[in-house]
Amino acid sequence: MTLSSREKVIKQELLDWENELFSYEPTDLEMLYEKGMENSFSLLPEEAQKQIFTKLDTWLFHLHALVQSSQFQLDARERILSSARVFNQEIQSIQDLKVLSIDQLRFIADQQISRHRLYSFAQGGISGMGGALLLGSDLPVITVINLRMVQLIAMSYGFEVNTPYEMMISLKVFHAGTLPKRLQKYGWEELLQDLEANEDTYFYEGKDELTNISWLEQPLKHILKAIAIMTFRKKKLQGLPIVSIAIGAGSNYQLTRKVSEFAHKFYQYRYLEGKEKEI
């Protein structure tokens, strides 16, 4: 099927973004940081490294399944369908959303993105208050927020995430979105290869390992953020640790902004690619 003029404009915007992603040149500091992480982690025995990444992958799979089956997520799914019915009353299922125009789908997805950026900002501000319990829960909570957001963006473009294939794709989108910008192109490339090789399948047949040394940069940033929060939490203004709150809120917001941009670009691209393949 030939794309409409509006869809062609958006497809070109996506291609321009993709070119920018692939042309990104890491700074010397980024390369030095990456090399330092690799050298430090290589000191661990190979078996220990495998166990760490296997446990991280298992944790993400379970967290994804927990989020997907939660009542909170089911309610959000119904809100997406209700929003879609404003444009077309005949819509009954998530897959039916694909009959909507690209701008209507973007509007629905933007609603989810805005809401979760706000959640992330607020949660980061709360963790910035510096209590041990709040700081300890920061990484799991921000992971749940971003996993949930990726699932809802997928649903906004008509892709259910309750099959093994779609679950794995959404996890890979989340993973790639959390990577440093210099490495996101590899995640994007792998996702496009998965779509080419496995589209319209129920089971996922590609590479199912998610985490690696490069991905550990994000958890390390959270540790550094926690240290900064603990350092500044005693500097208060009117009884509140304003600097610590700003660090927590700003850091979490930027992470969700990065993940949401990547996920939104991917599902727009996938939606348009699907339309082009229609007979």
Side-chain angles (χ1 to χ4, degrees), residues 120 123-124 127 138 142 222 225 248-256:
S120 185
Q123 191 275 326
S127 69
D138 181 55
I142 193 63
H222 275 272
K225 178 185 72 177
S251 174
N252 283 13
Y253 177 83
Q254 287 302 321
L255 173 61
T256 300

Side-chain angles (χ1 to χ4, degrees), residues 174-194:
F174 163 79
H175 169 260
T178 59
L179 288 173
K181 191 167 183 180
R182 68 182 184 276
L183 300 175
Q184 283 189 338
K185 59 186 176 184
Y186 302 114
W188 180 264
E189 215 168 30
E190 188 173 327
L191 280 162
L192 296 192
Q193 289 171 1
D194 282 340

Side-chain angles (χ1 to χ4, degrees), residues 26-43:
T27 64
D28 291 340
L29 184 61
E30 286 177 316
M31 296 303 294
L32 185 64
Y33 183 80
E34 183 178 357
K35 192 68 176 174
M37 279 196 65
E38 289 177 357
N39 290 338
S40 299
F41 206 75
S42 65
L43 297 175

Side-chain angles (χ1 to χ4, degrees), residues 90-231:
E90 301 300 316
I91 287 175
Q92 298 297 322
S93 68
I94 289 296
Q95 289 91 339
D96 291 343
L97 268 73
K98 292 179 183 178
V99 305
L100 298 181
S101 72
I102 184 67
D103 284 316
Q104 290 168 339
L105 295 176
R106 288 175 82 179
F107 174 79
I108 295 171
D110 281 336
Q111 286 183 317
Q112 307 306 320
I113 291 169
S114 299
R115 188 175 291 121
H116 284 77
R117 286 181 180 180
L118 181 60
Y119 292 160
S120 185
F121 183 83
Q123 191 275 326
I126 292 170
S127 69
M129 298 178 74
L133 181 61
L134 294 174
L135 280 175
S137 64
D138 181 55
L139 183 56
V141 173
I142 193 63
T143 302
V144 166
I145 289 173
N146 284 284
L147 279 172
R148 183 174 189 268
M149 178 184 64
V150 171
Q151 290 180 13
L152 293 177
I153 292 172
M155 284 190 270
S156 297
Y157 282 91
F159 299 101
E160 283 279 18
V161 290
N162 55 4
T163 68
Y165 176 78
E166 291 297 344
M167 182 187 78
M168 195 64 209
I169 290 295
S170 66
L171 272 171
K172 283 197 166 188
V173 171
F174 163 79
H175 169 260
T178 59
L179 288 173
K181 191 167 183 180
R182 68 182 184 276
L183 300 175
Q184 283 189 338
K185 59 186 176 184
Y186 302 114
W188 180 264
E189 215 168 30
E190 188 173 327
L191 280 162
L192 296 192
Q193 289 171 1
D194 282 340
L195 293 183
E196 188 68 29
N198 301 303
E199 188 72 88
D200 298 325
T201 62
Y202 183 83
F203 293 103
Y204 181 78
E205 299 174 355
K207 178 184 173 185
D208 59 1
E209 293 87 3
L210 291 171
T211 55
N212 50 36
I213 294 174
S214 300
W215 188 77
L216 290 179
E217 187 171 322
Q218 190 57 52
L220 181 59
K221 285 181 179 179
H222 275 272
I223 293 171
L224 295 175
K225 178 185 72 177
I227 293 171
I229 287 172
M230 294 294 287
T231 301

